[in-house]
Amino acid sequence: MVKWLRNSKISMCILTILRIYLGIQWVLDGWEKITTKGGFDASGLIQSAIKNPVLTPGKTKAFPWYDWFLNFATNQGHSTSSFSFLVSWGEFLVGLGLVFGTFTLAAAFFGLVMNYSYLGAGIVSVNPTFIFIGTLLLVGGYNSGRLGLDHWVTPYLRSKIGFLENDINL
């Protein structure tokens, strides 16, 4: 399955459709937050996640490390406005990367980071679907962005800078 995802022209087309679909979703979500009158505010989400953490069936915290992170970040003088900025622009930029197929693997990775963060905060929504698609894109490797700007960007980075040349078989 991995070999097929990474090498097949059929999988390249399927991954491209999935990549663009996922990218459009991220762009729309991010753009909505960026253009919200008064600005997007993640403080309600953060406070809700801190006060009502995701619990296991045994009623213990399912993600104590995530709860610790949110508490640490908000108690160390970092305002929720920085989270709001990162969420809004992160979603938008991940989406653009996926739509245009530029730095596709990085965009898919950071999209997955956001999806897992939302799950850690107790927001299920579309995150399982986005995680499934994002994982397929990562497993597909270079094939996921071949029908995009990565077709030119990746070879350029490999030849001019030596970026990832011997590290990963993209």
PDB file of all heavy atoms in Angstrom, residues 19 97 100-106 141-142 144-157:
ATOM      1  N   ARG A  19      -5.697  16.183  -1.389  1.00  0.00           N
ATOM      2  CA  ARG A  19      -4.886  17.309  -0.930  1.00  0.00           C
ATOM      3  C   ARG A  19      -5.603  18.628  -1.164  1.00  0.00           C
ATOM      4  O   ARG A  19      -5.675  19.492  -0.286  1.00  0.00           O
ATOM      5  CB  ARG A  19      -3.549  17.301  -1.671  1.00  0.00           C
ATOM      6  CG  ARG A  19      -2.564  18.355  -1.185  1.00  0.00           C
ATOM      7  CD  ARG A  19      -1.425  18.540  -2.153  1.00  0.00           C
ATOM      8  NE  ARG A  19      -1.908  19.404  -3.234  1.00  0.00           N
ATOM      9  CZ  ARG A  19      -1.595  19.271  -4.503  1.00  0.00           C
ATOM     10  NH1 ARG A  19      -0.772  18.333  -4.911  1.00  0.00           N
ATOM     11  NH2 ARG A  19      -2.074  20.071  -5.416  1.00  0.00           N
ATOM     12  N   GLY A  97      -0.732  25.838   1.376  1.00  0.00           N
ATOM     13  CA  GLY A  97       0.300  24.865   1.020  1.00  0.00           C
ATOM     14  C   GLY A  97      -0.288  23.626   0.372  1.00  0.00           C
ATOM     15  O   GLY A  97       0.247  23.097  -0.596  1.00  0.00           O
ATOM     16  N   PHE A 100      -2.022  24.536  -3.258  1.00  0.00           N
ATOM     17  CA  PHE A 100      -1.043  24.752  -4.322  1.00  0.00           C
ATOM     18  C   PHE A 100       0.006  23.650  -4.410  1.00  0.00           C
ATOM     19  O   PHE A 100       0.803  23.637  -5.346  1.00  0.00           O
ATOM     20  CB  PHE A 100      -0.359  26.114  -4.153  1.00  0.00           C
ATOM     21  CG  PHE A 100      -1.293  27.255  -4.390  1.00  0.00           C
ATOM     22  CD1 PHE A 100      -1.707  28.052  -3.341  1.00  0.00           C
ATOM     23  CD2 PHE A 100      -1.779  27.531  -5.651  1.00  0.00           C
ATOM     24  CE1 PHE A 100      -2.582  29.101  -3.549  1.00  0.00           C
ATOM     25  CE2 PHE A 100      -2.663  28.572  -5.885  1.00  0.00           C
ATOM     26  CZ  PHE A 100      -3.074  29.358  -4.820  1.00  0.00           C
ATOM     27  N   GLY A 101       0.004  22.731  -3.466  1.00  0.00           N
ATOM     28  CA  GLY A 101       0.986  21.655  -3.492  1.00  0.00           C
ATOM     29  C   GLY A 101       2.394  22.158  -3.270  1.00  0.00           C
ATOM     30  O   GLY A 101       3.335  21.694  -3.907  1.00  0.00           O
ATOM     31  N   THR A 102       2.542  23.141  -2.377  1.00  0.00           N
ATOM     32  CA  THR A 102       3.846  23.704  -2.061  1.00  0.00           C
ATOM     33  C   THR A 102       4.203  23.322  -0.636  1.00  0.00           C
ATOM     34  O   THR A 102       3.436  23.585   0.286  1.00  0.00           O
ATOM     35  CB  THR A 102       3.807  25.246  -2.165  1.00  0.00           C
ATOM     36  OG1 THR A 102       3.264  25.589  -3.429  1.00  0.00           O
ATOM     37  CG2 THR A 102       5.198  25.821  -2.022  1.00  0.00           C
ATOM     38  N   PHE A 103       5.365  22.701  -0.451  1.00  0.00           N
ATOM     39  CA  PHE A 103       5.750  22.182   0.860  1.00  0.00           C
ATOM     40  C   PHE A 103       4.615  21.321   1.414  1.00  0.00           C
ATOM     41  O   PHE A 103       4.209  21.441   2.571  1.00  0.00           O
ATOM     42  CB  PHE A 103       6.129  23.315   1.826  1.00  0.00           C
ATOM     43  CG  PHE A 103       7.265  24.156   1.337  1.00  0.00           C
ATOM     44  CD1 PHE A 103       7.067  25.466   0.952  1.00  0.00           C
ATOM     45  CD2 PHE A 103       8.542  23.626   1.243  1.00  0.00           C
ATOM     46  CE1 PHE A 103       8.112  26.247   0.485  1.00  0.00           C
ATOM     47  CE2 PHE A 103       9.601  24.395   0.776  1.00  0.00           C
ATOM     48  CZ  PHE A 103       9.386  25.703   0.395  1.00  0.00           C
ATOM     49  N   THR A 104       4.112  20.445   0.567  1.00  0.00           N
ATOM     50  CA  THR A 104       2.947  19.629   0.878  1.00  0.00           C
ATOM     51  C   THR A 104       3.132  18.821   2.149  1.00  0.00           C
ATOM     52  O   THR A 104       2.226  18.762   2.983  1.00  0.00           O
ATOM     53  CB  THR A 104       2.637  18.678  -0.301  1.00  0.00           C
ATOM     54  OG1 THR A 104       2.404  19.476  -1.467  1.00  0.00           O
ATOM     55  CG2 THR A 104       1.441  17.800  -0.020  1.00  0.00           C
ATOM     56  N   LEU A 105       4.272  18.193   2.304  1.00  0.00           N
ATOM     57  CA  LEU A 105       4.471  17.341   3.479  1.00  0.00           C
ATOM     58  C   LEU A 105       4.528  18.163   4.761  1.00  0.00           C
ATOM     59  O   LEU A 105       3.989  17.754   5.790  1.00  0.00           O
ATOM     60  CB  LEU A 105       5.726  16.484   3.314  1.00  0.00           C
ATOM     61  CG  LEU A 105       5.691  15.527   2.120  1.00  0.00           C
ATOM     62  CD1 LEU A 105       6.962  14.707   2.040  1.00  0.00           C
ATOM     63  CD2 LEU A 105       4.470  14.629   2.178  1.00  0.00           C
ATOM     64  N   ALA A 106       5.140  19.322   4.715  1.00  0.00           N
ATOM     65  CA  ALA A 106       5.167  20.197   5.890  1.00  0.00           C
ATOM     66  C   ALA A 106       3.752  20.678   6.209  1.00  0.00           C
ATOM     67  O   ALA A 106       3.341  20.700   7.375  1.00  0.00           O
ATOM     68  CB  ALA A 106       6.095  21.385   5.649  1.00  0.00           C
ATOM     69  N   GLY A 141       4.071  10.789   0.501  1.00  0.00           N
ATOM     70  CA  GLY A 141       5.340  11.472   0.284  1.00  0.00           C
ATOM     71  C   GLY A 141       5.284  12.442  -0.885  1.00  0.00           C
ATOM     72  O   GLY A 141       4.295  13.148  -1.079  1.00  0.00           O
ATOM     73  N   TYR A 142       6.353  12.479  -1.642  1.00  0.00           N
ATOM     74  CA  TYR A 142       6.485  13.408  -2.765  1.00  0.00           C
ATOM     75  C   TYR A 142       5.330  13.268  -3.759  1.00  0.00           C
ATOM     76  O   TYR A 142       4.925  14.243  -4.386  1.00  0.00           O
ATOM     77  CB  TYR A 142       7.832  13.186  -3.452  1.00  0.00           C
ATOM     78  CG  TYR A 142       8.034  14.014  -4.699  1.00  0.00           C
ATOM     79  CD1 TYR A 142       8.141  15.395  -4.620  1.00  0.00           C
ATOM     80  CD2 TYR A 142       8.117  13.411  -5.945  1.00  0.00           C
ATOM     81  CE1 TYR A 142       8.321  16.165  -5.761  1.00  0.00           C
ATOM     82  CE2 TYR A 142       8.299  14.166  -7.092  1.00  0.00           C
ATOM     83  CZ  TYR A 142       8.397  15.543  -6.994  1.00  0.00           C
ATOM     84  OH  TYR A 142       8.573  16.294  -8.127  1.00  0.00           O
ATOM     85  N   SER A 144       2.326  13.089  -3.223  1.00  0.00           N
ATOM     86  CA  SER A 144       1.184  13.905  -2.803  1.00  0.00           C
ATOM     87  C   SER A 144       1.242  15.314  -3.373  1.00  0.00           C
ATOM     88  O   SER A 144       0.206  15.951  -3.544  1.00  0.00           O
ATOM     89  CB  SER A 144       1.127  13.987  -1.276  1.00  0.00           C
ATOM     90  OG  SER A 144       0.929  12.724  -0.712  1.00  0.00           O
ATOM     91  N   GLY A 145       2.419  15.824  -3.652  1.00  0.00           N
ATOM     92  CA  GLY A 145       2.552  17.176  -4.173  1.00  0.00           C
ATOM     93  C   GLY A 145       3.096  17.248  -5.576  1.00  0.00           C
ATOM     94  O   GLY A 145       3.368  18.330  -6.090  1.00  0.00           O
ATOM     95  N   ARG A 146       3.248  16.096  -6.215  1.00  0.00           N
ATOM     96  CA  ARG A 146       3.840  16.064  -7.555  1.00  0.00           C
ATOM     97  C   ARG A 146       3.010  16.849  -8.561  1.00  0.00           C
ATOM     98  O   ARG A 146       3.555  17.490  -9.446  1.00  0.00           O
ATOM     99  CB  ARG A 146       3.992  14.614  -8.015  1.00  0.00           C
ATOM    100  CG  ARG A 146       4.839  14.473  -9.245  1.00  0.00           C
ATOM    101  CD  ARG A 146       5.023  13.030  -9.615  1.00  0.00           C
ATOM    102  NE  ARG A 146       5.650  12.329  -8.505  1.00  0.00           N
ATOM    103  CZ  ARG A 146       6.620  11.445  -8.630  1.00  0.00           C
ATOM    104  NH1 ARG A 146       7.078  11.157  -9.824  1.00  0.00           N
ATOM    105  NH2 ARG A 146       7.117  10.842  -7.591  1.00  0.00           N
ATOM    106  N   LEU A 147       1.677  16.787  -8.432  1.00  0.00           N
ATOM    107  CA  LEU A 147       0.810  17.589  -9.304  1.00  0.00           C
ATOM    108  C   LEU A 147       0.518  18.916  -8.612  1.00  0.00           C
ATOM    109  O   LEU A 147      -0.615  19.284  -8.352  1.00  0.00           O
ATOM    110  CB  LEU A 147      -0.507  16.851  -9.602  1.00  0.00           C
ATOM    111  CG  LEU A 147      -0.404  15.623 -10.487  1.00  0.00           C
ATOM    112  CD1 LEU A 147      -1.752  14.967 -10.669  1.00  0.00           C
ATOM    113  CD2 LEU A 147       0.209  15.961 -11.830  1.00  0.00           C
ATOM    114  N   GLY A 148       1.570  19.611  -8.301  1.00  0.00           N
ATOM    115  CA  GLY A 148       1.479  20.901  -7.643  1.00  0.00           C
ATOM    116  C   GLY A 148       2.821  21.591  -7.779  1.00  0.00           C
ATOM    117  O   GLY A 148       3.700  21.145  -8.521  1.00  0.00           O
ATOM    118  N   LEU A 149       2.998  22.660  -7.047  1.00  0.00           N
ATOM    119  CA  LEU A 149       4.250  23.411  -7.138  1.00  0.00           C
ATOM    120  C   LEU A 149       5.451  22.628  -6.600  1.00  0.00           C
ATOM    121  O   LEU A 149       6.586  22.946  -6.943  1.00  0.00           O
ATOM    122  CB  LEU A 149       4.110  24.752  -6.419  1.00  0.00           C
ATOM    123  CG  LEU A 149       3.100  25.716  -7.056  1.00  0.00           C
ATOM    124  CD1 LEU A 149       2.987  26.987  -6.233  1.00  0.00           C
ATOM    125  CD2 LEU A 149       3.466  26.035  -8.496  1.00  0.00           C
ATOM    126  N   ASP A 150       5.197  21.611  -5.788  1.00  0.00           N
ATOM    127  CA  ASP A 150       6.305  20.765  -5.322  1.00  0.00           C
ATOM    128  C   ASP A 150       7.027  20.070  -6.471  1.00  0.00           C
ATOM    129  O   ASP A 150       8.174  19.668  -6.333  1.00  0.00           O
ATOM    130  CB  ASP A 150       5.814  19.708  -4.323  1.00  0.00           C
ATOM    131  CG  ASP A 150       5.658  20.259  -2.926  1.00  0.00           C
ATOM    132  OD1 ASP A 150       6.211  21.331  -2.639  1.00  0.00           O
ATOM    133  OD2 ASP A 150       4.973  19.606  -2.111  1.00  0.00           O
ATOM    134  N   HIS A 151       6.350  19.944  -7.606  1.00  0.00           N
ATOM    135  CA  HIS A 151       6.975  19.346  -8.797  1.00  0.00           C
ATOM    136  C   HIS A 151       8.247  20.113  -9.164  1.00  0.00           C
ATOM    137  O   HIS A 151       9.211  19.535  -9.652  1.00  0.00           O
ATOM    138  CB  HIS A 151       5.980  19.360  -9.957  1.00  0.00           C
ATOM    139  CG  HIS A 151       6.541  18.847 -11.244  1.00  0.00           C
ATOM    140  ND1 HIS A 151       6.740  17.499 -11.485  1.00  0.00           N
ATOM    141  CD2 HIS A 151       6.962  19.495 -12.358  1.00  0.00           C
ATOM    142  CE1 HIS A 151       7.257  17.347 -12.692  1.00  0.00           C
ATOM    143  NE2 HIS A 151       7.402  18.538 -13.248  1.00  0.00           N
ATOM    144  N   TRP A 152       8.244  21.427  -8.908  1.00  0.00           N
ATOM    145  CA  TRP A 152       9.409  22.263  -9.196  1.00  0.00           C
ATOM    146  C   TRP A 152      10.194  22.612  -7.929  1.00  0.00           C
ATOM    147  O   TRP A 152      11.415  22.706  -7.968  1.00  0.00           O
ATOM    148  CB  TRP A 152       8.986  23.557  -9.894  1.00  0.00           C
ATOM    149  CG  TRP A 152       8.401  23.298 -11.242  1.00  0.00           C
ATOM    150  CD1 TRP A 152       9.084  23.056 -12.400  1.00  0.00           C
ATOM    151  CD2 TRP A 152       7.019  23.212 -11.571  1.00  0.00           C
ATOM    152  NE1 TRP A 152       8.210  22.832 -13.432  1.00  0.00           N
ATOM    153  CE2 TRP A 152       6.927  22.929 -12.953  1.00  0.00           C
ATOM    154  CE3 TRP A 152       5.836  23.346 -10.854  1.00  0.00           C
ATOM    155  CZ2 TRP A 152       5.707  22.785 -13.609  1.00  0.00           C
ATOM    156  CZ3 TRP A 152       4.631  23.211 -11.506  1.00  0.00           C
ATOM    157  CH2 TRP A 152       4.581  22.929 -12.860  1.00  0.00           C
ATOM    158  N   VAL A 153       9.495  22.819  -6.828  1.00  0.00           N
ATOM    159  CA  VAL A 153      10.142  23.258  -5.589  1.00  0.00           C
ATOM    160  C   VAL A 153      11.075  22.187  -5.028  1.00  0.00           C
ATOM    161  O   VAL A 153      12.223  22.480  -4.679  1.00  0.00           O
ATOM    162  CB  VAL A 153       9.092  23.671  -4.529  1.00  0.00           C
ATOM    163  CG1 VAL A 153       9.734  23.919  -3.179  1.00  0.00           C
ATOM    164  CG2 VAL A 153       8.328  24.896  -5.004  1.00  0.00           C
ATOM    165  N   THR A 154      10.605  20.956  -4.936  1.00  0.00           N
ATOM    166  CA  THR A 154      11.415  19.888  -4.332  1.00  0.00           C
ATOM    167  C   THR A 154      12.697  19.618  -5.110  1.00  0.00           C
ATOM    168  O   THR A 154      13.771  19.579  -4.504  1.00  0.00           O
ATOM    169  CB  THR A 154      10.574  18.608  -4.151  1.00  0.00           C
ATOM    170  OG1 THR A 154       9.448  18.921  -3.323  1.00  0.00           O
ATOM    171  CG2 THR A 154      11.379  17.496  -3.511  1.00  0.00           C
ATOM    172  N   PRO A 155      12.640  19.438  -6.436  1.00  0.00           N
ATOM    173  CA  PRO A 155      13.903  19.247  -7.163  1.00  0.00           C
ATOM    174  C   PRO A 155      14.850  20.440  -7.030  1.00  0.00           C
ATOM    175  O   PRO A 155      16.067  20.265  -6.946  1.00  0.00           O
ATOM    176  CB  PRO A 155      13.466  19.054  -8.620  1.00  0.00           C
ATOM    177  CG  PRO A 155      12.076  18.553  -8.533  1.00  0.00           C
ATOM    178  CD  PRO A 155      11.489  19.231  -7.325  1.00  0.00           C
ATOM    179  N   TYR A 156      14.301  21.657  -7.015  1.00  0.00           N
ATOM    180  CA  TYR A 156      15.143  22.840  -6.839  1.00  0.00           C
ATOM    181  C   TYR A 156      15.860  22.786  -5.499  1.00  0.00           C
ATOM    182  O   TYR A 156      17.074  23.016  -5.427  1.00  0.00           O
ATOM    183  CB  TYR A 156      14.310  24.121  -6.950  1.00  0.00           C
ATOM    184  CG  TYR A 156      15.108  25.352  -6.615  1.00  0.00           C
ATOM    185  CD1 TYR A 156      15.969  25.902  -7.555  1.00  0.00           C
ATOM    186  CD2 TYR A 156      15.041  25.934  -5.357  1.00  0.00           C
ATOM    187  CE1 TYR A 156      16.722  27.015  -7.252  1.00  0.00           C
ATOM    188  CE2 TYR A 156      15.793  27.044  -5.039  1.00  0.00           C
ATOM    189  CZ  TYR A 156      16.638  27.584  -5.990  1.00  0.00           C
ATOM    190  OH  TYR A 156      17.399  28.678  -5.680  1.00  0.00           O
ATOM    191  N   LEU A 157      15.119  22.510  -4.443  1.00  0.00           N
ATOM    192  CA  LEU A 157      15.733  22.446  -3.113  1.00  0.00           C
ATOM    193  C   LEU A 157      16.773  21.338  -3.033  1.00  0.00           C
ATOM    194  O   LEU A 157      17.816  21.500  -2.401  1.00  0.00           O
ATOM    195  CB  LEU A 157      14.662  22.243  -2.038  1.00  0.00           C
ATOM    196  CG  LEU A 157      13.739  23.436  -1.799  1.00  0.00           C
ATOM    197  CD1 LEU A 157      12.656  23.063  -0.797  1.00  0.00           C
ATOM    198  CD2 LEU A 157      14.520  24.645  -1.333  1.00  0.00           C
TER     199      LEU A 157
END
